[in-house]
Amino acid sequence: PNPNPNPNPNPKPAVENLYIVQLAIWFVTLFFFRFLEVPAGDYHVMYTHHVVTIGVVTLSYAATTYVHFGLVVFLLHDLSDVPLDIMKLFSLLRLEESHGWYLSEITYVIFMPIWIYTRNYVFPVKLIYYGVWGTMYGTRDPHGEEFWCHGLREGSYKQVLLDQDQQRAMEQELSVTCTCCGGLAAWALLCTLEVLHVWWTYLLLRIGYNGLFLGVAVEDVKAVYYDAEPTNKDKATTTTTNKKKTN
């Protein structure tokens, strides 16, 4: 077995800097989203996503054992976020159909397989099930390698840990990371993110189906969920204006 079951006892400075930058980005994004931007139709979903993501990043950074999980989360999100942002840009510029060289449609066709594979397969199966749940309660992964929590419980690693301080550190890791304090908290946060991924997958597939097969304008489909919701003040102003027009 691996003489050091904790794969990231001391994260490298570059990894720490990446976490600090990611946390800063998410906190700034959350602040702008909460206080400065106009609430959209998916406001509550996006707000939940931002809060949960900050929780995942903070937990994986605080518990060094989960640093590699946090890095995988960053990678999976960035792989799909790049084509998603490009698609949003083309959509805002109305580069669709023949007058826009079908750029929105092309990027959608390229983006959806990447989104489904990373967010609805790799994320729940490889990361949540094998990476977290399997690590806590499994014995061996599909490749036959022993999960390190199981190795700590069964004492497999004690045979190669000659340093008693290192052995005590691993036993402390078992009591925190492999139980409810760390493992289940990470599992719950990641599962919440996956529920949001499934919801967005449904919306994206609906937008694509209506736009590509039914000929409905993309803006009309998105308006149901993404257009800004009028505030009470806006509603009152609209009502007053309509009354004046009627009179």
PDB file of all heavy atoms in Angstrom, residues 114-148:
ATOM      1  N   ILE A 114     -20.141  17.876 -23.980  1.00  0.00           N
ATOM      2  CA  ILE A 114     -19.150  18.158 -22.942  1.00  0.00           C
ATOM      3  C   ILE A 114     -19.840  18.352 -21.606  1.00  0.00           C
ATOM      4  O   ILE A 114     -19.409  17.828 -20.563  1.00  0.00           O
ATOM      5  CB  ILE A 114     -18.327  19.411 -23.307  1.00  0.00           C
ATOM      6  CG1 ILE A 114     -17.569  19.186 -24.613  1.00  0.00           C
ATOM      7  CG2 ILE A 114     -17.364  19.768 -22.190  1.00  0.00           C
ATOM      8  CD1 ILE A 114     -16.839  20.417 -25.115  1.00  0.00           C
ATOM      9  N   TRP A 115     -20.937  19.112 -21.599  1.00  0.00           N
ATOM     10  CA  TRP A 115     -21.691  19.362 -20.360  1.00  0.00           C
ATOM     11  C   TRP A 115     -22.230  18.069 -19.779  1.00  0.00           C
ATOM     12  O   TRP A 115     -22.071  17.795 -18.585  1.00  0.00           O
ATOM     13  CB  TRP A 115     -22.832  20.336 -20.646  1.00  0.00           C
ATOM     14  CG  TRP A 115     -23.781  20.524 -19.499  1.00  0.00           C
ATOM     15  CD1 TRP A 115     -24.835  19.718 -19.173  1.00  0.00           C
ATOM     16  CD2 TRP A 115     -23.749  21.559 -18.508  1.00  0.00           C
ATOM     17  NE1 TRP A 115     -25.474  20.187 -18.058  1.00  0.00           N
ATOM     18  CE2 TRP A 115     -24.827  21.321 -17.626  1.00  0.00           C
ATOM     19  CE3 TRP A 115     -22.923  22.659 -18.297  1.00  0.00           C
ATOM     20  CZ2 TRP A 115     -25.086  22.149 -16.543  1.00  0.00           C
ATOM     21  CZ3 TRP A 115     -23.182  23.485 -17.222  1.00  0.00           C
ATOM     22  CH2 TRP A 115     -24.263  23.225 -16.357  1.00  0.00           C
ATOM     23  N   ILE A 116     -22.882  17.259 -20.587  1.00  0.00           N
ATOM     24  CA  ILE A 116     -23.499  16.030 -20.100  1.00  0.00           C
ATOM     25  C   ILE A 116     -22.431  15.065 -19.578  1.00  0.00           C
ATOM     26  O   ILE A 116     -22.607  14.439 -18.519  1.00  0.00           O
ATOM     27  CB  ILE A 116     -24.339  15.368 -21.202  1.00  0.00           C
ATOM     28  CG1 ILE A 116     -25.552  16.247 -21.527  1.00  0.00           C
ATOM     29  CG2 ILE A 116     -24.796  13.973 -20.787  1.00  0.00           C
ATOM     30  CD1 ILE A 116     -26.381  15.747 -22.692  1.00  0.00           C
ATOM     31  N   TYR A 117     -21.318  14.957 -20.301  1.00  0.00           N
ATOM     32  CA  TYR A 117     -20.277  14.017 -19.875  1.00  0.00           C
ATOM     33  C   TYR A 117     -19.613  14.463 -18.572  1.00  0.00           C
ATOM     34  O   TYR A 117     -19.425  13.647 -17.658  1.00  0.00           O
ATOM     35  CB  TYR A 117     -19.214  13.886 -20.972  1.00  0.00           C
ATOM     36  CG  TYR A 117     -18.078  12.960 -20.601  1.00  0.00           C
ATOM     37  CD1 TYR A 117     -18.252  11.584 -20.567  1.00  0.00           C
ATOM     38  CD2 TYR A 117     -16.820  13.484 -20.281  1.00  0.00           C
ATOM     39  CE1 TYR A 117     -17.205  10.736 -20.208  1.00  0.00           C
ATOM     40  CE2 TYR A 117     -15.771  12.646 -19.934  1.00  0.00           C
ATOM     41  CZ  TYR A 117     -15.967  11.273 -19.896  1.00  0.00           C
ATOM     42  OH  TYR A 117     -14.935  10.452 -19.549  1.00  0.00           O
ATOM     43  N   THR A 118     -19.265  15.736 -18.460  1.00  0.00           N
ATOM     44  CA  THR A 118     -18.551  16.206 -17.272  1.00  0.00           C
ATOM     45  C   THR A 118     -19.471  16.404 -16.075  1.00  0.00           C
ATOM     46  O   THR A 118     -19.133  16.016 -14.952  1.00  0.00           O
ATOM     47  CB  THR A 118     -17.821  17.531 -17.565  1.00  0.00           C
ATOM     48  OG1 THR A 118     -18.761  18.511 -18.047  1.00  0.00           O
ATOM     49  CG2 THR A 118     -16.742  17.316 -18.592  1.00  0.00           C
ATOM     50  N   ARG A 119     -20.661  16.978 -16.306  1.00  0.00           N
ATOM     51  CA  ARG A 119     -21.536  17.333 -15.185  1.00  0.00           C
ATOM     52  C   ARG A 119     -22.489  16.208 -14.774  1.00  0.00           C
ATOM     53  O   ARG A 119     -22.919  16.179 -13.623  1.00  0.00           O
ATOM     54  CB  ARG A 119     -22.366  18.568 -15.554  1.00  0.00           C
ATOM     55  CG  ARG A 119     -21.570  19.815 -15.922  1.00  0.00           C
ATOM     56  CD  ARG A 119     -20.844  20.410 -14.743  1.00  0.00           C
ATOM     57  NE  ARG A 119     -20.197  21.662 -15.089  1.00  0.00           N
ATOM     58  CZ  ARG A 119     -20.660  22.868 -14.770  1.00  0.00           C
ATOM     59  NH1 ARG A 119     -21.796  22.974 -14.110  1.00  0.00           N
ATOM     60  NH2 ARG A 119     -19.992  23.956 -15.104  1.00  0.00           N
ATOM     61  N   ASN A 120     -22.854  15.329 -15.715  1.00  0.00           N
ATOM     62  CA  ASN A 120     -23.857  14.310 -15.408  1.00  0.00           C
ATOM     63  C   ASN A 120     -23.315  12.886 -15.426  1.00  0.00           C
ATOM     64  O   ASN A 120     -24.070  11.943 -15.190  1.00  0.00           O
ATOM     65  CB  ASN A 120     -25.033  14.419 -16.375  1.00  0.00           C
ATOM     66  CG  ASN A 120     -25.744  15.745 -16.281  1.00  0.00           C
ATOM     67  OD1 ASN A 120     -25.751  16.529 -17.217  1.00  0.00           O
ATOM     68  ND2 ASN A 120     -26.330  16.033 -15.140  1.00  0.00           N
ATOM     69  N   TYR A 121     -22.029  12.723 -15.743  1.00  0.00           N
ATOM     70  CA  TYR A 121     -21.420  11.398 -15.652  1.00  0.00           C
ATOM     71  C   TYR A 121     -20.170  11.408 -14.766  1.00  0.00           C
ATOM     72  O   TYR A 121     -20.150  10.772 -13.708  1.00  0.00           O
ATOM     73  CB  TYR A 121     -21.061  10.856 -17.023  1.00  0.00           C
ATOM     74  CG  TYR A 121     -20.247   9.579 -16.939  1.00  0.00           C
ATOM     75  CD1 TYR A 121     -20.809   8.399 -16.448  1.00  0.00           C
ATOM     76  CD2 TYR A 121     -18.904   9.558 -17.311  1.00  0.00           C
ATOM     77  CE1 TYR A 121     -20.054   7.234 -16.340  1.00  0.00           C
ATOM     78  CE2 TYR A 121     -18.145   8.404 -17.207  1.00  0.00           C
ATOM     79  CZ  TYR A 121     -18.728   7.244 -16.716  1.00  0.00           C
ATOM     80  OH  TYR A 121     -17.974   6.104 -16.597  1.00  0.00           O
ATOM     81  N   VAL A 122     -19.150  12.161 -15.178  1.00  0.00           N
ATOM     82  CA  VAL A 122     -17.906  12.169 -14.405  1.00  0.00           C
ATOM     83  C   VAL A 122     -18.136  12.721 -13.005  1.00  0.00           C
ATOM     84  O   VAL A 122     -17.652  12.154 -12.012  1.00  0.00           O
ATOM     85  CB  VAL A 122     -16.821  12.999 -15.137  1.00  0.00           C
ATOM     86  CG1 VAL A 122     -15.538  13.036 -14.313  1.00  0.00           C
ATOM     87  CG2 VAL A 122     -16.537  12.405 -16.512  1.00  0.00           C
ATOM     88  N   PHE A 123     -18.872  13.818 -12.908  1.00  0.00           N
ATOM     89  CA  PHE A 123     -19.093  14.449 -11.601  1.00  0.00           C
ATOM     90  C   PHE A 123     -19.812  13.521 -10.621  1.00  0.00           C
ATOM     91  O   PHE A 123     -19.321  13.305  -9.507  1.00  0.00           O
ATOM     92  CB  PHE A 123     -19.872  15.754 -11.787  1.00  0.00           C
ATOM     93  CG  PHE A 123     -19.872  16.645 -10.569  1.00  0.00           C
ATOM     94  CD1 PHE A 123     -18.900  17.620 -10.399  1.00  0.00           C
ATOM     95  CD2 PHE A 123     -20.847  16.509  -9.594  1.00  0.00           C
ATOM     96  CE1 PHE A 123     -18.899  18.432  -9.283  1.00  0.00           C
ATOM     97  CE2 PHE A 123     -20.853  17.310  -8.476  1.00  0.00           C
ATOM     98  CZ  PHE A 123     -19.874  18.283  -8.314  1.00  0.00           C
ATOM     99  N   PRO A 124     -20.981  12.950 -10.975  1.00  0.00           N
ATOM    100  CA  PRO A 124     -21.660  12.091  -9.986  1.00  0.00           C
ATOM    101  C   PRO A 124     -21.029  10.720  -9.816  1.00  0.00           C
ATOM    102  O   PRO A 124     -20.998  10.186  -8.696  1.00  0.00           O
ATOM    103  CB  PRO A 124     -23.083  11.982 -10.544  1.00  0.00           C
ATOM    104  CG  PRO A 124     -22.931  12.168 -12.006  1.00  0.00           C
ATOM    105  CD  PRO A 124     -21.804  13.136 -12.186  1.00  0.00           C
ATOM    106  N   VAL A 125     -20.539  10.121 -10.903  1.00  0.00           N
ATOM    107  CA  VAL A 125     -20.042   8.737 -10.821  1.00  0.00           C
ATOM    108  C   VAL A 125     -18.609   8.697 -10.298  1.00  0.00           C
ATOM    109  O   VAL A 125     -18.312   8.025  -9.298  1.00  0.00           O
ATOM    110  CB  VAL A 125     -20.133   8.047 -12.193  1.00  0.00           C
ATOM    111  CG1 VAL A 125     -19.525   6.642 -12.122  1.00  0.00           C
ATOM    112  CG2 VAL A 125     -21.583   7.972 -12.654  1.00  0.00           C
ATOM    113  N   LYS A 126     -17.710   9.405 -10.968  1.00  0.00           N
ATOM    114  CA  LYS A 126     -16.302   9.329 -10.622  1.00  0.00           C
ATOM    115  C   LYS A 126     -15.961  10.118  -9.360  1.00  0.00           C
ATOM    116  O   LYS A 126     -15.173   9.655  -8.529  1.00  0.00           O
ATOM    117  CB  LYS A 126     -15.448   9.836 -11.791  1.00  0.00           C
ATOM    118  CG  LYS A 126     -15.643   9.070 -13.087  1.00  0.00           C
ATOM    119  CD  LYS A 126     -15.188   7.631 -12.957  1.00  0.00           C
ATOM    120  CE  LYS A 126     -15.289   6.903 -14.295  1.00  0.00           C
ATOM    121  NZ  LYS A 126     -14.837   5.503 -14.208  1.00  0.00           N
ATOM    122  N   LEU A 127     -16.542  11.312  -9.241  1.00  0.00           N
ATOM    123  CA  LEU A 127     -16.183  12.175  -8.119  1.00  0.00           C
ATOM    124  C   LEU A 127     -17.007  11.876  -6.873  1.00  0.00           C
ATOM    125  O   LEU A 127     -16.448  11.591  -5.804  1.00  0.00           O
ATOM    126  CB  LEU A 127     -16.347  13.642  -8.517  1.00  0.00           C
ATOM    127  CG  LEU A 127     -15.979  14.671  -7.442  1.00  0.00           C
ATOM    128  CD1 LEU A 127     -14.515  14.546  -7.070  1.00  0.00           C
ATOM    129  CD2 LEU A 127     -16.279  16.078  -7.925  1.00  0.00           C
ATOM    130  N   ILE A 128     -18.349  11.934  -7.003  1.00  0.00           N
ATOM    131  CA  ILE A 128     -19.189  11.762  -5.817  1.00  0.00           C
ATOM    132  C   ILE A 128     -19.203  10.314  -5.337  1.00  0.00           C
ATOM    133  O   ILE A 128     -18.962  10.042  -4.154  1.00  0.00           O
ATOM    134  CB  ILE A 128     -20.626  12.240  -6.097  1.00  0.00           C
ATOM    135  CG1 ILE A 128     -20.635  13.737  -6.434  1.00  0.00           C
ATOM    136  CG2 ILE A 128     -21.527  11.958  -4.902  1.00  0.00           C
ATOM    137  CD1 ILE A 128     -22.005  14.282  -6.767  1.00  0.00           C
ATOM    138  N   TYR A 129     -19.454   9.373  -6.270  1.00  0.00           N
ATOM    139  CA  TYR A 129     -19.610   7.977  -5.837  1.00  0.00           C
ATOM    140  C   TYR A 129     -18.274   7.337  -5.472  1.00  0.00           C
ATOM    141  O   TYR A 129     -18.084   6.878  -4.341  1.00  0.00           O
ATOM    142  CB  TYR A 129     -20.299   7.161  -6.924  1.00  0.00           C
ATOM    143  CG  TYR A 129     -20.522   5.714  -6.520  1.00  0.00           C
ATOM    144  CD1 TYR A 129     -21.474   5.383  -5.561  1.00  0.00           C
ATOM    145  CD2 TYR A 129     -19.753   4.695  -7.080  1.00  0.00           C
ATOM    146  CE1 TYR A 129     -21.662   4.059  -5.173  1.00  0.00           C
ATOM    147  CE2 TYR A 129     -19.937   3.382  -6.715  1.00  0.00           C
ATOM    148  CZ  TYR A 129     -20.893   3.065  -5.755  1.00  0.00           C
ATOM    149  OH  TYR A 129     -21.070   1.768  -5.377  1.00  0.00           O
ATOM    150  N   TYR A 130     -17.355   7.323  -6.430  1.00  0.00           N
ATOM    151  CA  TYR A 130     -16.070   6.678  -6.156  1.00  0.00           C
ATOM    152  C   TYR A 130     -15.145   7.563  -5.325  1.00  0.00           C
ATOM    153  O   TYR A 130     -14.439   7.079  -4.430  1.00  0.00           O
ATOM    154  CB  TYR A 130     -15.379   6.297  -7.465  1.00  0.00           C
ATOM    155  CG  TYR A 130     -16.021   5.128  -8.165  1.00  0.00           C
ATOM    156  CD1 TYR A 130     -16.573   5.265  -9.438  1.00  0.00           C
ATOM    157  CD2 TYR A 130     -16.089   3.874  -7.560  1.00  0.00           C
ATOM    158  CE1 TYR A 130     -17.172   4.201 -10.086  1.00  0.00           C
ATOM    159  CE2 TYR A 130     -16.692   2.799  -8.190  1.00  0.00           C
ATOM    160  CZ  TYR A 130     -17.223   2.964  -9.461  1.00  0.00           C
ATOM    161  OH  TYR A 130     -17.824   1.909 -10.094  1.00  0.00           O
ATOM    162  N   GLY A 131     -15.131   8.870  -5.632  1.00  0.00           N
ATOM    163  CA  GLY A 131     -14.187   9.750  -4.966  1.00  0.00           C
ATOM    164  C   GLY A 131     -14.502  10.024  -3.511  1.00  0.00           C
ATOM    165  O   GLY A 131     -13.586  10.120  -2.683  1.00  0.00           O
ATOM    166  N   VAL A 132     -15.782  10.164  -3.166  1.00  0.00           N
ATOM    167  CA  VAL A 132     -16.156  10.506  -1.789  1.00  0.00           C
ATOM    168  C   VAL A 132     -16.827   9.321  -1.103  1.00  0.00           C
ATOM    169  O   VAL A 132     -16.336   8.821  -0.083  1.00  0.00           O
ATOM    170  CB  VAL A 132     -17.082  11.739  -1.758  1.00  0.00           C
ATOM    171  CG1 VAL A 132     -17.508  12.050  -0.326  1.00  0.00           C
ATOM    172  CG2 VAL A 132     -16.379  12.942  -2.371  1.00  0.00           C
ATOM    173  N   TRP A 133     -17.944   8.871  -1.651  1.00  0.00           N
ATOM    174  CA  TRP A 133     -18.684   7.777  -0.995  1.00  0.00           C
ATOM    175  C   TRP A 133     -17.857   6.487  -0.943  1.00  0.00           C
ATOM    176  O   TRP A 133     -17.787   5.819   0.089  1.00  0.00           O
ATOM    177  CB  TRP A 133     -19.997   7.531  -1.718  1.00  0.00           C
ATOM    178  CG  TRP A 133     -20.927   6.617  -0.968  1.00  0.00           C
ATOM    179  CD1 TRP A 133     -21.112   5.284  -1.161  1.00  0.00           C
ATOM    180  CD2 TRP A 133     -21.774   6.991   0.113  1.00  0.00           C
ATOM    181  NE1 TRP A 133     -22.037   4.795  -0.275  1.00  0.00           N
ATOM    182  CE2 TRP A 133     -22.461   5.824   0.527  1.00  0.00           C
ATOM    183  CE3 TRP A 133     -22.045   8.186   0.780  1.00  0.00           C
ATOM    184  CZ2 TRP A 133     -23.385   5.818   1.567  1.00  0.00           C
ATOM    185  CZ3 TRP A 133     -22.971   8.184   1.816  1.00  0.00           C
ATOM    186  CH2 TRP A 133     -23.622   7.018   2.198  1.00  0.00           C
ATOM    187  N   GLY A 134     -17.242   6.148  -2.066  1.00  0.00           N
ATOM    188  CA  GLY A 134     -16.424   4.949  -2.092  1.00  0.00           C
ATOM    189  C   GLY A 134     -15.223   5.052  -1.173  1.00  0.00           C
ATOM    190  O   GLY A 134     -14.835   4.071  -0.520  1.00  0.00           O
ATOM    191  N   THR A 135     -14.615   6.243  -1.106  1.00  0.00           N
ATOM    192  CA  THR A 135     -13.477   6.439  -0.217  1.00  0.00           C
ATOM    193  C   THR A 135     -13.866   6.217   1.231  1.00  0.00           C
ATOM    194  O   THR A 135     -13.106   5.632   2.018  1.00  0.00           O
ATOM    195  CB  THR A 135     -12.910   7.855  -0.394  1.00  0.00           C
ATOM    196  OG1 THR A 135     -12.434   7.997  -1.736  1.00  0.00           O
ATOM    197  CG2 THR A 135     -11.765   8.110   0.564  1.00  0.00           C
ATOM    198  N   MET A 136     -15.058   6.653   1.618  1.00  0.00           N
ATOM    199  CA  MET A 136     -15.490   6.514   3.013  1.00  0.00           C
ATOM    200  C   MET A 136     -15.923   5.094   3.350  1.00  0.00           C
ATOM    201  O   MET A 136     -15.573   4.563   4.406  1.00  0.00           O
ATOM    202  CB  MET A 136     -16.644   7.488   3.304  1.00  0.00           C
ATOM    203  CG  MET A 136     -16.252   8.947   3.306  1.00  0.00           C
ATOM    204  SD  MET A 136     -17.576   9.988   3.959  1.00  0.00           S
ATOM    205  CE  MET A 136     -18.866   9.675   2.755  1.00  0.00           C
ATOM    206  N   TYR A 137     -16.692   4.468   2.467  1.00  0.00           N
ATOM    207  CA  TYR A 137     -17.338   3.206   2.826  1.00  0.00           C
ATOM    208  C   TYR A 137     -16.955   2.029   1.932  1.00  0.00           C
ATOM    209  O   TYR A 137     -17.354   0.898   2.206  1.00  0.00           O
ATOM    210  CB  TYR A 137     -18.862   3.382   2.794  1.00  0.00           C
ATOM    211  CG  TYR A 137     -19.349   4.460   3.728  1.00  0.00           C
ATOM    212  CD1 TYR A 137     -19.897   5.648   3.236  1.00  0.00           C
ATOM    213  CD2 TYR A 137     -19.244   4.306   5.110  1.00  0.00           C
ATOM    214  CE1 TYR A 137     -20.339   6.643   4.089  1.00  0.00           C
ATOM    215  CE2 TYR A 137     -19.681   5.300   5.967  1.00  0.00           C
ATOM    216  CZ  TYR A 137     -20.228   6.466   5.453  1.00  0.00           C
ATOM    217  OH  TYR A 137     -20.654   7.448   6.297  1.00  0.00           O
ATOM    218  N   GLY A 138     -16.221   2.268   0.846  1.00  0.00           N
ATOM    219  CA  GLY A 138     -15.844   1.185  -0.048  1.00  0.00           C
ATOM    220  C   GLY A 138     -14.589   0.462   0.413  1.00  0.00           C
ATOM    221  O   GLY A 138     -13.918   0.868   1.373  1.00  0.00           O
ATOM    222  N   THR A 139     -14.272  -0.614  -0.279  1.00  0.00           N
ATOM    223  CA  THR A 139     -13.063  -1.379   0.014  1.00  0.00           C
ATOM    224  C   THR A 139     -12.020  -1.204  -1.088  1.00  0.00           C
ATOM    225  O   THR A 139     -10.880  -0.872  -0.816  1.00  0.00           O
ATOM    226  CB  THR A 139     -13.388  -2.871   0.183  1.00  0.00           C
ATOM    227  OG1 THR A 139     -14.073  -3.338  -0.995  1.00  0.00           O
ATOM    228  CG2 THR A 139     -14.280  -3.084   1.402  1.00  0.00           C
ATOM    229  N   ARG A 140     -12.412  -1.433  -2.334  1.00  0.00           N
ATOM    230  CA  ARG A 140     -11.492  -1.278  -3.454  1.00  0.00           C
ATOM    231  C   ARG A 140     -12.209  -0.615  -4.629  1.00  0.00           C
ATOM    232  O   ARG A 140     -13.401  -0.836  -4.836  1.00  0.00           O
ATOM    233  CB  ARG A 140     -10.917  -2.634  -3.886  1.00  0.00           C
ATOM    234  CG  ARG A 140     -10.032  -3.268  -2.830  1.00  0.00           C
ATOM    235  CD  ARG A 140      -9.365  -4.546  -3.312  1.00  0.00           C
ATOM    236  NE  ARG A 140      -8.533  -5.108  -2.267  1.00  0.00           N
ATOM    237  CZ  ARG A 140      -7.281  -4.737  -2.010  1.00  0.00           C
ATOM    238  NH1 ARG A 140      -6.715  -3.807  -2.770  1.00  0.00           N
ATOM    239  NH2 ARG A 140      -6.595  -5.281  -1.031  1.00  0.00           N
ATOM    240  N   ASP A 141     -11.455   0.167  -5.400  1.00  0.00           N
ATOM    241  CA  ASP A 141     -12.028   0.840  -6.559  1.00  0.00           C
ATOM    242  C   ASP A 141     -12.075  -0.123  -7.740  1.00  0.00           C
ATOM    243  O   ASP A 141     -11.598  -1.262  -7.642  1.00  0.00           O
ATOM    244  CB  ASP A 141     -11.224   2.094  -6.899  1.00  0.00           C
ATOM    245  CG  ASP A 141      -9.783   1.791  -7.294  1.00  0.00           C
ATOM    246  OD1 ASP A 141      -9.492   0.641  -7.684  1.00  0.00           O
ATOM    247  OD2 ASP A 141      -8.951   2.709  -7.218  1.00  0.00           O
ATOM    248  N   PRO A 142     -12.664   0.293  -8.888  1.00  0.00           N
ATOM    249  CA  PRO A 142     -12.767  -0.619 -10.037  1.00  0.00           C
ATOM    250  C   PRO A 142     -11.419  -1.138 -10.548  1.00  0.00           C
ATOM    251  O   PRO A 142     -11.375  -2.155 -11.242  1.00  0.00           O
ATOM    252  CB  PRO A 142     -13.463   0.238 -11.105  1.00  0.00           C
ATOM    253  CG  PRO A 142     -14.227   1.251 -10.335  1.00  0.00           C
ATOM    254  CD  PRO A 142     -13.400   1.547  -9.127  1.00  0.00           C
ATOM    255  N   HIS A 143     -10.331  -0.446 -10.220  1.00  0.00           N
ATOM    256  CA  HIS A 143      -9.008  -0.884 -10.657  1.00  0.00           C
ATOM    257  C   HIS A 143      -8.332  -1.801  -9.648  1.00  0.00           C
ATOM    258  O   HIS A 143      -7.182  -2.191  -9.835  1.00  0.00           O
ATOM    259  CB  HIS A 143      -8.112   0.333 -10.927  1.00  0.00           C
ATOM    260  CG  HIS A 143      -8.671   1.287 -11.936  1.00  0.00           C
ATOM    261  ND1 HIS A 143      -8.715   1.004 -13.287  1.00  0.00           N
ATOM    262  CD2 HIS A 143      -9.238   2.512 -11.786  1.00  0.00           C
ATOM    263  CE1 HIS A 143      -9.262   2.024 -13.928  1.00  0.00           C
ATOM    264  NE2 HIS A 143      -9.591   2.949 -13.047  1.00  0.00           N
ATOM    265  N   GLY A 144      -9.039  -2.114  -8.562  1.00  0.00           N
ATOM    266  CA  GLY A 144      -8.485  -3.020  -7.561  1.00  0.00           C
ATOM    267  C   GLY A 144      -7.674  -2.352  -6.476  1.00  0.00           C
ATOM    268  O   GLY A 144      -7.154  -3.035  -5.574  1.00  0.00           O
ATOM    269  N   GLU A 145      -7.536  -1.027  -6.532  1.00  0.00           N
ATOM    270  CA  GLU A 145      -6.784  -0.307  -5.512  1.00  0.00           C
ATOM    271  C   GLU A 145      -7.627  -0.142  -4.257  1.00  0.00           C
ATOM    272  O   GLU A 145      -8.825   0.132  -4.332  1.00  0.00           O
ATOM    273  CB  GLU A 145      -6.360   1.067  -6.035  1.00  0.00           C
ATOM    274  CG  GLU A 145      -5.402   1.019  -7.220  1.00  0.00           C
ATOM    275  CD  GLU A 145      -4.039   0.494  -6.841  1.00  0.00           C
ATOM    276  OE1 GLU A 145      -3.663   0.624  -5.657  1.00  0.00           O
ATOM    277  OE2 GLU A 145      -3.353  -0.047  -7.725  1.00  0.00           O
ATOM    278  N   GLU A 146      -7.000  -0.301  -3.120  1.00  0.00           N
ATOM    279  CA  GLU A 146      -7.718  -0.184  -1.852  1.00  0.00           C
ATOM    280  C   GLU A 146      -8.020   1.273  -1.539  1.00  0.00           C
ATOM    281  O   GLU A 146      -7.147   2.136  -1.657  1.00  0.00           O
ATOM    282  CB  GLU A 146      -6.895  -0.789  -0.713  1.00  0.00           C
ATOM    283  CG  GLU A 146      -7.615  -0.792   0.625  1.00  0.00           C
ATOM    284  CD  GLU A 146      -6.757  -1.392   1.736  1.00  0.00           C
ATOM    285  OE1 GLU A 146      -5.520  -1.226   1.660  1.00  0.00           O
ATOM    286  OE2 GLU A 146      -7.308  -2.023   2.651  1.00  0.00           O
ATOM    287  N   PHE A 147      -9.281   1.550  -1.181  1.00  0.00           N
ATOM    288  CA  PHE A 147      -9.630   2.894  -0.731  1.00  0.00           C
ATOM    289  C   PHE A 147      -8.906   3.171   0.578  1.00  0.00           C
ATOM    290  O   PHE A 147      -8.844   2.313   1.457  1.00  0.00           O
ATOM    291  CB  PHE A 147     -11.140   3.021  -0.520  1.00  0.00           C
ATOM    292  CG  PHE A 147     -11.917   3.105  -1.811  1.00  0.00           C
ATOM    293  CD1 PHE A 147     -12.830   2.121  -2.155  1.00  0.00           C
ATOM    294  CD2 PHE A 147     -11.739   4.164  -2.678  1.00  0.00           C
ATOM    295  CE1 PHE A 147     -13.547   2.198  -3.335  1.00  0.00           C
ATOM    296  CE2 PHE A 147     -12.453   4.256  -3.868  1.00  0.00           C
ATOM    297  CZ  PHE A 147     -13.356   3.264  -4.191  1.00  0.00           C
ATOM    298  N   TRP A 148      -8.383   4.391   0.713  1.00  0.00           N
ATOM    299  CA  TRP A 148      -7.488   4.638   1.839  1.00  0.00           C
ATOM    300  C   TRP A 148      -8.205   4.705   3.182  1.00  0.00           C
ATOM    301  O   TRP A 148      -7.613   4.400   4.209  1.00  0.00           O
ATOM    302  CB  TRP A 148      -6.634   5.878   1.596  1.00  0.00           C
ATOM    303  CG  TRP A 148      -7.337   7.194   1.560  1.00  0.00           C
ATOM    304  CD1 TRP A 148      -7.935   7.773   0.506  1.00  0.00           C
ATOM    305  CD2 TRP A 148      -7.473   8.113   2.642  1.00  0.00           C
ATOM    306  NE1 TRP A 148      -8.453   8.987   0.847  1.00  0.00           N
ATOM    307  CE2 TRP A 148      -8.172   9.229   2.149  1.00  0.00           C
ATOM    308  CE3 TRP A 148      -7.076   8.109   3.971  1.00  0.00           C
ATOM    309  CZ2 TRP A 148      -8.489  10.324   2.929  1.00  0.00           C
ATOM    310  CZ3 TRP A 148      -7.387   9.199   4.764  1.00  0.00           C
ATOM    311  CH2 TRP A 148      -8.090  10.296   4.247  1.00  0.00           C
TER     312      TRP A 148
END
